[in-house]
Amino acid sequence: VQLQASGGGLVQAGGSLRLSCATSRRFFNSNTLGWFRQAPGKQRELVAIITSGGKATYGDSVKGQKGRFAISRDNDKNTVYLQMNDLTPEDTAVYYCNEFPYVGRHPWGPGTQVTVSS
C-alpha cells in the first residue's frame, strides 16, 4: 500500500500548512489512519489519528494547544488531511502518515518535510 504524504514546505512562525495523505480505497476504508512526525534527533511521535468513522484523537505532542492541528478525511478522495495553524519552530519535522497503531505492515515512505522559521 502506498501512503503518499504531501503538502509540507517552509513557512514562517505563525503560518499554516495543510498536509495530505492519499492511499488506496481499501486501505483507507478499513483502517484508522494517523499522522506522525519526527524531528531531527528525536523519535517519531504521534500527532493525530482518525478512525474510519471520522473520530479524531490528538497525540500528547499537540493535545490542548488551542486547536492548532486538525485531522480530517475525505472519503471520496481516499485522503487524510492535517491542517496545521499557528506553526512554531518546534513543529519542524518530517511528517508521515500510516495506519494506527503502527505494526510495521507498511513502509513509512519519505514523508513530507515541514520547516518553520522563527
Side-chain angles (χ1 to χ4, degrees):
V1 173
Q2 283 190 323
L3 295 152
Q4 299 181 334
S6 62
L10 172 63
V11 297
Q12 291 186 332
S16 298
L17 285 172
R18 187 177 80 156
L19 307 184
S20 301
C21 177
T23 185
S24 68
R25 175 170 293 276
R26 178 178 178 183
F27 185 79
F28 181 85
N29 288 338
S30 61
N31 287 275
T32 292
L33 297 177
W35 282 100
F36 306 78
R37 68 183 181 183
Q38 187 167 18
K42 296 186 177 181
Q43 289 188 333
R44 187 175 283 121
E45 63 182 6
L46 177 68
V47 178
I49 63 172
I50 189 164
T51 68
S52 57
K55 180 180 178 181
T57 305
Y58 296 88
D60 291 340
S61 62
V62 301
K63 191 182 298 183
Q65 294 186 14
K66 300 180 181 180
R68 293 194 304 118
F69 288 66
I71 189 171
S72 62
R73 59 192 294 149
D74 185 328
N75 293 334
D76 291 332
K77 296 181 179 179
N78 305 325
T79 300
V80 177
Y81 301 99
L82 184 68
Q83 178 67 43
M84 306 187 296
N85 301 321
D86 194 21
L87 287 162
T88 73
E90 288 68 35
D91 296 317
T92 294
V94 179
Y95 286 70
Y96 304 87
C97 60
N98 215 310
E99 63 182 341
F100 180 87
Y102 178 70
V103 295
R105 290 187 297 182
H106 307 290
W108 284 104
T112 187
Q113 175 71 49
V114 171
T115 303
V116 185
S117 63
S118 58

